[in-house]
PDB file of all heavy atoms in Angstrom:
ATOM      1  N   LYS A  72      96.533 107.154  79.761  1.00 94.00           N
ATOM      2  CA  LYS A  72      97.555 108.015  80.362  1.00 94.00           C
ATOM      3  C   LYS A  72      97.505 107.888  81.879  1.00 94.00           C
ATOM      4  O   LYS A  72      96.440 107.757  82.456  1.00 94.00           O
ATOM      5  CB  LYS A  72      97.322 109.470  79.954  1.00 94.00           C
ATOM      6  CG  LYS A  72      97.505 109.697  78.461  1.00 94.00           C
ATOM      7  CD  LYS A  72      97.370 111.157  78.122  1.00 94.00           C
ATOM      8  CE  LYS A  72      97.719 111.398  76.654  1.00 94.00           C
ATOM      9  NZ  LYS A  72      97.806 112.823  76.363  1.00 94.00           N
ATOM     10  N   GLY A  73      98.674 107.921  82.483  1.00 92.00           N
ATOM     11  CA  GLY A  73      98.764 107.878  83.940  1.00 92.00           C
ATOM     12  C   GLY A  73      99.264 109.209  84.464  1.00 92.00           C
ATOM     13  O   GLY A  73     100.124 109.835  83.859  1.00 92.00           O
ATOM     14  N   VAL A  74      98.713 109.632  85.594  1.00 90.00           N
ATOM     15  CA  VAL A  74      99.145 110.891  86.194  1.00 90.00           C
ATOM     16  C   VAL A  74     100.387 110.651  87.039  1.00 90.00           C
ATOM     17  O   VAL A  74     100.610 109.562  87.550  1.00 90.00           O
ATOM     18  CB  VAL A  74      98.028 111.533  87.058  1.00 90.00           C
ATOM     19  CG1 VAL A  74      96.806 111.841  86.218  1.00 90.00           C
ATOM     20  CG2 VAL A  74      97.661 110.671  88.234  1.00 90.00           C
ATOM     21  N   SER A  75     101.199 111.684  87.165  1.00 86.00           N
ATOM     22  CA  SER A  75     102.318 111.606  88.095  1.00 86.00           C
ATOM     23  C   SER A  75     101.792 112.073  89.434  1.00 86.00           C
ATOM     24  O   SER A  75     100.853 112.865  89.512  1.00 86.00           O
ATOM     25  CB  SER A  75     103.488 112.469  87.631  1.00 86.00           C
ATOM     26  OG  SER A  75     103.105 113.821  87.578  1.00 86.00           O
ATOM     27  N   GLY A  76     102.349 111.557  90.496  1.00 76.00           N
ATOM     28  CA  GLY A  76     101.832 111.892  91.813  1.00 76.00           C
ATOM     29  C   GLY A  76     102.905 112.385  92.747  1.00 76.00           C
ATOM     30  O   GLY A  76     104.093 112.298  92.461  1.00 76.00           O
ATOM     31  N   THR A  77     102.455 112.915  93.864  1.00 71.00           N
ATOM     32  CA  THR A  77     103.387 113.387  94.880  1.00 71.00           C
ATOM     33  C   THR A  77     103.613 112.334  95.948  1.00 71.00           C
ATOM     34  O   THR A  77     104.558 112.410  96.711  1.00 71.00           O
ATOM     35  CB  THR A  77     102.855 114.678  95.529  1.00 71.00           C
ATOM     36  OG1 THR A  77     101.528 114.424  96.024  1.00 71.00           O
ATOM     37  CG2 THR A  77     102.820 115.812  94.526  1.00 71.00           C
ATOM     38  N   THR A  78     102.717 111.343  96.021  1.00 70.00           N
ATOM     39  CA  THR A  78     102.894 110.217  96.932  1.00 70.00           C
ATOM     40  C   THR A  78     102.713 108.940  96.127  1.00 70.00           C
ATOM     41  O   THR A  78     102.148 108.953  95.040  1.00 70.00           O
ATOM     42  CB  THR A  78     101.866 110.242  98.088  1.00 70.00           C
ATOM     43  OG1 THR A  78     100.562 110.050  97.544  1.00 70.00           O
ATOM     44  CG2 THR A  78     101.929 111.545  98.859  1.00 70.00           C
ATOM     45  N   LEU A  79     103.159 107.844  96.695  1.00 66.00           N
ATOM     46  CA  LEU A  79     103.090 106.570  95.978  1.00 66.00           C
ATOM     47  C   LEU A  79     101.673 106.210  95.575  1.00 66.00           C
ATOM     48  O   LEU A  79     101.423 105.771  94.463  1.00 66.00           O
ATOM     49  CB  LEU A  79     103.691 105.462  96.848  1.00 66.00           C
ATOM     50  CG  LEU A  79     103.732 104.078  96.225  1.00 66.00           C
ATOM     51  CD1 LEU A  79     104.605 104.082  94.979  1.00 66.00           C
ATOM     52  CD2 LEU A  79     104.213 103.061  97.216  1.00 66.00           C
ATOM     53  N   ALA A  80     100.692 106.431  96.438  1.00 66.00           N
ATOM     54  CA  ALA A  80      99.330 105.962  96.171  1.00 66.00           C
ATOM     55  C   ALA A  80      98.587 106.769  95.114  1.00 66.00           C
ATOM     56  O   ALA A  80      97.570 106.329  94.616  1.00 66.00           O
ATOM     57  CB  ALA A  80      98.520 105.949  97.459  1.00 66.00           C
ATOM     58  N   ASN A  81      99.065 107.952  94.749  1.00 75.00           N
ATOM     59  CA  ASN A  81      98.308 108.712  93.748  1.00 75.00           C
ATOM     60  C   ASN A  81      98.978 108.740  92.380  1.00 75.00           C
ATOM     61  O   ASN A  81      98.633 109.550  91.538  1.00 75.00           O
ATOM     62  CB  ASN A  81      97.973 110.121  94.244  1.00 75.00           C
ATOM     63  CG  ASN A  81      99.187 111.015  94.383  1.00 75.00           C
ATOM     64  OD1 ASN A  81     100.317 110.578  94.223  1.00 75.00           O
ATOM     65  ND2 ASN A  81      98.947 112.269  94.689  1.00 75.00           N
ATOM     66  N   PHE A  82      99.918 107.829  92.132  1.00 85.00           N
ATOM     67  CA  PHE A  82     100.456 107.664  90.789  1.00 85.00           C
ATOM     68  C   PHE A  82      99.447 106.887  89.960  1.00 85.00           C
ATOM     69  O   PHE A  82      98.873 105.918  90.432  1.00 85.00           O
ATOM     70  CB  PHE A  82     101.775 106.878  90.806  1.00 85.00           C
ATOM     71  CG  PHE A  82     102.974 107.729  91.002  1.00 85.00           C
ATOM     72  CD1 PHE A  82     103.462 107.984  92.266  1.00 85.00           C
ATOM     73  CD2 PHE A  82     103.612 108.281  89.914  1.00 85.00           C
ATOM     74  CE1 PHE A  82     104.583 108.772  92.442  1.00 85.00           C
ATOM     75  CE2 PHE A  82     104.733 109.070  90.079  1.00 85.00           C
ATOM     76  CZ  PHE A  82     105.221 109.321  91.347  1.00 85.00           C
ATOM     77  N   GLY A  83      99.239 107.290  88.714  1.00 92.00           N
ATOM     78  CA  GLY A  83      98.374 106.541  87.817  1.00 92.00           C
ATOM     79  C   GLY A  83      99.035 105.222  87.471  1.00 92.00           C
ATOM     80  O   GLY A  83     100.021 105.197  86.734  1.00 92.00           O
TER      81      GLY A  83
END
Side-chain angles (χ1 to χ4, degrees):
K72 295 184 173 189
V74 299
S75 62
T77 55
T78 65
L79 182 62
N81 68 354
F82 272 91

